[in-house]
Amino acid sequence: MTHREIKHQAKARLKQPGMYRSLMAANLLPWLIVLAFTAWAFLTVWQIMQSYGFANIVKSPDNFSDYLAGTNNLSNQTLLQSVVMLWFTQGIAFTALDVMRGKVQRVSPLAALLKTFNSRYFFGLLSVLALTWVAKSIGFFLLVIPGIIAIYGLSMSYYRYYDGRQEEQDGRPYSSTTAVLDSWRLMRGRKLNYFGLQLSLLGWQLLKLVTLHLFDFLINPYLQLVDAGFYANARLEYEVQRQMMP
């Protein structure tokens, strides 16, 4: 499927009775969490500015930038936000994947939010987060380009973990490590295509930025369906390629 076809399918899914309203309601809690962390970050920066001294900031802004970068407060908050948001956002993402595949016609906002709060997904997703974070950090430690490649190569790890856990056979559990490796294999030759899709959605991301993320819960349902649609299509192509291999 082309990018246009994926977007068209996402819009068609949103037009199903009650679908947009349900996904929008599911996104309300993550949206509130983001707003809370954003307010916390602004408060933290304000406190740092007060302790550093406004006169000193005006006198030497470069030194303040270095001082701000040297504090771990903001980075710790970002990491904490990622962990807190993990299960909610992935629950919605997995629900969006089921919607794009036509497996569900109606969505319960509460069920979507709590979809990963069980023994099948909870700790596995946390492990995927840790593995991808380490891999991306190593990539950026080497150079910027390897870091970017790592980001796109591992971008489907959560989806692969979801599918892998559902497709388990012979009682052998699908591990988070396997999900990360499968994402890397899946995205081989597709990283640039995924980048192109994200670039085509840049207008939506700018809109979220300009509106200070106040309307993210209205915008995210479409973006989540498009992202899930890309994975669903890539997975189909990948499986066809595997079957054609001698």
Side-chain angles (χ1 to χ4, degrees), residues 3-236:
H3 295 168
R4 183 183 295 272
E5 290 171 335
I6 293 174
K7 293 177 182 178
H8 180 76
Q9 186 182 41
K11 292 175 182 177
R13 293 286 191 264
L14 282 178
K15 291 179 182 178
Q16 293 176 197
M19 184 62 68
Y20 178 66
R21 182 173 62 252
S22 297
L23 289 176
M24 181 184 65
N27 275 281
L28 277 174
L29 180 59
W31 170 70
L32 289 173
I33 293 173
V34 169
L35 288 185
F37 272 95
T38 302
W40 186 16
F42 275 117
L43 181 60
T44 300
V45 172
W46 179 258
Q47 291 175 338
I48 293 174
M49 291 174 65
Q50 285 184 317
S51 63
Y52 191 83
F54 293 104
N56 293 329
I57 295 174
V58 174
K59 183 178 180 180
S60 54
D62 291 338
N63 291 339
F64 173 72
S65 298
D66 295 337
Y67 175 77
L68 183 63
T71 61
N72 294 323
N73 298 32
L74 294 178
S75 59
N76 291 339
Q77 289 176 13
T78 301
L79 179 59
L80 180 60
Q81 179 180 339
S82 299
V83 174
V84 171
M85 293 280 288
L86 174 65
W87 296 280
F88 298 120
T89 54
Q90 293 310 313
I92 299 173
F94 297 160
T95 301
L97 179 59
D98 289 339
V99 170
M100 288 298 285
R101 285 172 166 169
K103 290 184 176 181
V104 295
Q105 303 300 320
R106 294 185 180 277
V107 170
S108 165
L110 183 60
L113 281 171
L114 302 180
K115 191 177 184 67
T116 61
F117 284 85
N118 51 62
S119 58
R120 169 173 283 190
Y121 299 116
F122 191 89
F123 293 105
L125 290 178
L126 190 60
S127 180
V128 171
L129 174 66
L131 289 172
T132 53
W133 182 83
V134 170
K136 293 171 186 177
S137 298
I138 293 175
F140 279 109
F141 177 78
L142 296 175
L143 275 176
V144 174
I145 299 300
I148 295 175
I149 292 174
I151 287 176
Y152 281 91
L154 305 179
S155 58
M156 301 294 131
S157 297
Y158 294 110
Y159 290 126
R160 284 301 296 123
Y161 187 74
Y162 178 64
D163 275 353
R165 291 293 279 168
Q166 289 193 321
E167 299 165 2
E168 288 176 347
Q169 296 178 351
D170 303 325
R172 292 178 296 180
Y174 186 83
S175 70
S176 54
T177 303
T178 304
V180 171
L181 294 175
D182 281 350
S183 173
W184 186 261
R185 298 187 189 100
L186 175 68
M187 291 301 288
R188 188 174 298 154
R190 295 182 175 87
K191 300 182 187 70
L192 189 60
N193 188 22
Y194 187 49
F195 173 76
L197 176 63
Q198 291 189 320
L199 194 62
S200 70
L201 298 169
L202 183 61
W204 290 104
Q205 299 298 342
L206 290 176
L207 178 61
K208 292 169 65 174
L209 186 63
V210 169
T211 57
L212 303 177
H213 298 284
L214 294 176
F215 303 102
D216 283 11
F217 68 99
L218 299 173
I219 301 171
N220 283 341
Y222 172 66
L223 300 181
Q224 289 159 347
L225 289 175
V226 171
D227 195 66
F230 175 88
Y231 167 76
N233 182 63
R235 177 80 193 280
L236 286 174

